[in-house]
Amino acid sequence: MTASRTRAARWPAVRPWLGIAARLGLAAVWLLAGGAKIDDLAASGRAVNAYQVMPYDLATVIGAALPFVELALGVLLLVGLATRVVAGVSTVLLLVFVTGIASAWSRGLAIDCGCFGSGGQLAAGQAPSYLPEILRDLGFLVLAGFLLIWPRTPLSVDGWLAGESPVEDLDE
């Protein structure tokens, strides 16, 4: 058996466990991001407003709603319910975040993205860290993309509802 055939033969056994790692990893991201903002919704609104892409009132509403959306995505991923839908919403949200950060960078704004807590204008002398933020979000986008393609993972409500064994081969 050639090396590529050996790898191909292992993929069905490894893929479900990579999927659960992606699902739980992305769940942790959303739970941490939403949890960090939930105590100060006004600060979350100011962080969204700092991007200067929409009117202040709309930015504050979006900023106040965002932690709840992130927490809901995290909980759904944690239990593995509607995984493909949540991965799709995550993909869209992450693309919006990457676009927003790139836009702020290209326009010369000096802001903290507010991704994991308070954001907004940086103090004088502080430099933004746009490239690491974009790269981080692209990594999260890879997790969401994996789940878009292979949403079924072991130990998920999706699998339970479909009547699947929690650890069987989950090829789709």
Side-chain angles (χ1 to χ4, degrees), residues 72-112:
L73 293 172
V75 168
L76 289 169
L77 284 168
L78 187 64
V79 300
L81 180 60
T83 303
R84 182 172 273 146
V85 172
V86 174
V89 172
S90 296
T91 298
V92 170
L93 202 50
L94 288 162
L95 288 172
V96 167
F97 292 166
V98 168
T99 302
I101 294 166
S103 171
W105 191 3
S106 70
R107 291 180 291 133
L109 300 178
I111 63 173
D112 178 325

Side-chain angles (χ1 to χ4, degrees), residues 26 29-30 51 90-91 93-101 113 115-116 130-144:
L26 194 54
V29 167
W30 290 131
Y51 286 88
S90 296
T91 298
L93 202 50
L94 288 162
L95 288 172
V96 167
F97 292 166
V98 168
T99 302
I101 294 166
C113 74
C115 301
F116 292 94
Y130 296 130
L131 183 58
E133 292 166 353
I134 289 171
L135 293 174
R136 177 201 60 215
D137 286 353
L138 290 175
F140 298 154
L141 194 56
V142 168
L143 299 178

